[in-house]
Amino acid sequence: SPNKEQTIQAPSPKEGAGGVPAGALRTLVVQQTSLDQPRETWSKKMDFLLSVIGYAVDLGNVWRFPYICYQNGGGAFLLPYMLMAVFGGVPLFYMELALGQFHRSGCISIWKHICPIFKGIGFAICIIALYIAFYYNTIMAWALYYLLASFRPTLPWTTCSNPWNTVNCLRYLSTDSNVTWTNTSTSPAEEFYTRQVLQVHLSPGLHQLGSVSWQLALCLLFIFTIVYFSIWKGVKTSGKVVWVTATFPYLVLLVLLVRGATLPGAWRGVVFYLKPDWGKLLSTTVWIDAAAQIFFSLGPGFGVLLAFASYNPFHNNCYKDALLTSSVNCLTSFLSGFVIFTVLGYMAEMRKIGVETVAKDAGPSLLFIIYAEAIANMPAATFFAIIFFLMIIMLGLDSTFAGLEGVITAMLDEFPQLLSRRREWFVLGLVCVCYLGALSTLTYGGAFVVKLFEEYATGPAVITVVFLEVIAVSWFYGTSRFCADVHMMLGFSPGLFWRVCWVAICPIFLLFIIVSFLAFPPEVKLFDYVYPPWTTVLGYCIGVSSFICVPAYMVYHLLTAKGTFKQVRASSGLGEGLSPSSPPPVPLPSPGY
């Protein structure tokens, strides 16, 4: 039967021959024989790295980073972004990889090793992952609709003679000298997106969403079918799929970068993107945006890094992996800015207007309206449209694989007797739940639902969860104990920089983002629809519905635990554990290594 490493913290009753003081904690490494199935592992190290890169590099790198960068002072924004990455994002990323690899558990069952009373964090993470699956895949369904519409000589968002166009539709390019652009004019690309793909004109708002668009429902069904057959067998299959989904976007980004750089007016976009406005650094919003961007880009706290690392060999160098994958992620964001802004400069040149006027939209509109329109006006438009929308689908797919794998690993580790031999059926059930949950985003007012989920359902909740996770590991489990775990795996302990980050800087970094969210709630607006106040309440209710698992589980744990209050505290991980500054446990030699 397979051997399973287990670390036991045992108090030494009296001073031993090794000179360990009485009451100190010793680390014993025990070879535990068990009848459990051996844990699945990655076929190759590269499968793991590509999966982590594919997860971290998603649609946000392509649309959110360039937009936030130019909005917050261009090149000057790179300073707060890098500082937030070094002191906040990367330490959290490294911590999650190390925790997952050492404890070989998903985001629920890992808490029995760390601090059992915080187990509700794992359940909260799974609910947040479900909420993300409800809206995130819909954006890929829109991209698939565009992809299918691209297989024709004239792209449908280039002309104003289609059934969905209005009298305000105006095809305005530098060649059309007799056309005058007014404030009421709309481009054919905008009308294709809002009136044909989303059909948002048929819904007055969130109070009346309208019926489900059958075309988008079929597109989403196809997306979820790909997702199911990529993850149903575990990391052995998804590790192979990411060789395509994680590498293809880089190929397309390079092709689009070369194409964009050769367009007239491209330099205007690049200057606008990178021209530093140092005065902006005095504004707190810039620092809030930098912190939020690096946090959501690297993606700690979604249970994914724990799950992926748990399939690694015990002695894999996760320190190097953390530095490599987080660097690739930040560089991809930077590169995407050039891809987007060279094209925005070209659009501004063609329309004889400023770049800031062209780049007024963030989010999906930047890709589906502005970039789609620019592509339509290039030579070989059909080819560029096909590879661009394929890239958007692939960027989204590997993030979805990862998000769902985080939930699957967590549930399989928590309920092994029930689920371990029924993985395929469990994954099928999970994908069906995600599809049914996504139906509200496929209605005529579905774009409003996507925006609501994006702003409220996931952001504040996941940051709060990660804040508690860092506190639990650094203060209750103890940084010294965690560093001893890392030493056992890698042969060296994390340095003073990492310890200070985990104990103090990361919690302050996360608290800063949480307070800013509460102090400056986002004003949510989409197209011409301003979200009414009741939607803010609804948004916060959805956010709290996942986070409520944490206090609820704490109460349940304290009520069901047996023994005196002091014993319950000790068994919950709240007893006399190691404080962040206490001396590290003394590792004893073991025949297992």
Side-chain angles (χ1 to χ4, degrees), residues 259-274:
R259 173 68 267 199
T262 57
L263 292 168
W267 61 273
R268 284 178 61 186
V270 174
V271 167
F272 187 77
Y273 171 44
L274 289 181

Side-chain angles (χ1 to χ4, degrees), residues 450-507:
V450 169
K451 184 81 172 167
L452 183 78
F453 267 114
E454 198 176 13
E455 292 291 342
Y456 293 110
T458 54
V462 84
I463 295 170
T464 313
V465 160
V466 178
F467 174 70
L468 288 177
E469 185 183 308
V470 174
I471 294 293
V473 173
S474 299
W475 291 91
F476 291 102
Y477 185 67
T479 311
S480 298
R481 198 191 302 190
F482 176 55
C483 290
D485 294 345
V486 174
H487 186 276
M488 193 185 298
M489 281 193 303
L490 307 183
F492 59 88
S493 283
L496 182 66
F497 168 77
W498 300 104
R499 289 168 184 248
V500 172
C501 282
W502 292 325
V503 171
I505 298 176
C506 287

Side-chain angles (χ1 to χ4, degrees), residues 324-349:
L324 174 71
T325 49
S326 49
S327 303
V328 167
N329 178 56
C330 294
L331 287 170
T332 307
S333 297
F334 189 57
L335 174 75
S336 302
F338 288 100
V339 173
I340 296 289
F341 275 90
T342 49
V343 166
L344 292 182
Y346 164 65
M347 291 292 288
E349 183 83 11

Side-chain angles (χ1 to χ4, degrees), residues 24 235 405 445:
V235 294
E405 187 58 62

Side-chain angles (χ1 to χ4, degrees), residues 62-82:
V62 177
W63 81 53
R64 201 177 283 118
F65 177 82
Y67 179 79
I68 284 177
C69 187
Y70 95 76
Q71 203 178 34
N72 289 310
F77 176 73
L78 297 175
L79 177 67
Y81 180 75
M82 291 313 296

Side-chain angles (χ1 to χ4, degrees), residues 5-246:
E5 298 99 12
Q6 187 181 15
T7 305
I8 298 175
Q9 299 287 351
S12 101
K14 58 179 189 230
E15 186 159 328
V20 182
L25 284 160
R26 298 184 299 168
T27 306
L28 298 172
V29 181
V30 180
Q31 290 299 101
Q32 177 190 321
T33 307
S34 79
L35 298 172
D36 296 346
Q37 285 183 301
R39 191 170 185 82
E40 190 180 9
T41 54
W42 298 96
S43 303
K44 292 192 189 75
K45 171 72 177 274
M46 203 63 189
D47 292 3
F48 165 70
L49 289 175
L50 285 175
S51 294
V52 173
I53 289 169
Y55 160 65
V57 175
D58 70 342
L59 296 168
N61 292 65
V62 177
W63 81 53
R64 201 177 283 118
F65 177 82
Y67 179 79
I68 284 177
C69 187
Y70 95 76
Q71 203 178 34
N72 289 310
F77 176 73
L78 297 175
L79 177 67
Y81 180 75
M82 291 313 296
L83 286 174
M84 292 294 182
V86 170
F87 290 101
V90 179
L92 287 169
F93 198 81
Y94 176 26
M95 186 180 89
E96 280 224 347
L97 287 180
L99 279 174
Q101 188 171 302
F102 184 82
H103 294 290
R104 318 295 289 275
S105 304
C107 63
I108 299 175
S109 50
I110 196 170
W111 291 100
K112 70 173 178 270
H113 306 295
I114 298 173
C115 192
I117 200 167
F118 282 101
K119 194 175 182 179
I121 289 177
F123 292 107
I125 287 171
C126 290
I127 294 171
I128 292 167
L130 276 182
Y131 287 158
I132 293 169
F134 289 170
Y135 77 85
Y136 189 81
N137 299 286
T138 302
I139 298 168
M140 284 186 279
W142 300 341
L144 181 60
Y145 192 107
Y146 268 87
L147 178 68
L148 297 172
S150 301
F151 287 95
R152 55 186 76 180
T154 307
L155 297 173
W157 58 88
T158 54
T159 60
C160 287
S161 53
N162 303 293
W164 59 82
N165 290 125
T166 64
V167 289
N168 292 330
C169 180
L170 199 60
R171 189 164 182 267
Y172 179 70
L173 301 170
S174 55
T175 48
D176 305 323
S177 50
N178 57 342
V179 173
T180 311
W181 184 268
T182 65
N183 287 336
T184 55
S185 303
T186 53
S187 66
E190 187 180 338
E191 292 205 346
F192 179 74
Y193 178 57
T194 56
R195 299 179 65 84
Q196 173 65 5
V197 180
L198 303 180
Q199 300 182 63
V200 81
H201 63 291
L202 299 175
S203 165
L206 274 171
H207 59 283
Q208 195 180 327
L209 292 173
S211 56
V212 172
S213 159
W214 65 268
Q215 296 100 322
L216 290 179
L218 285 177
C219 287
L220 188 65
L221 184 64
F222 182 72
I223 294 288
F224 270 123
T225 307
I226 295 172
V227 169
Y228 176 71
F229 286 108
S230 300
I231 62 173
W232 68 323
K233 293 286 187 188
V235 294
K236 289 277 192 278
T237 51
S238 64
K240 296 290 171 282
V241 179
V242 290
W243 280 81
V244 178
T245 57

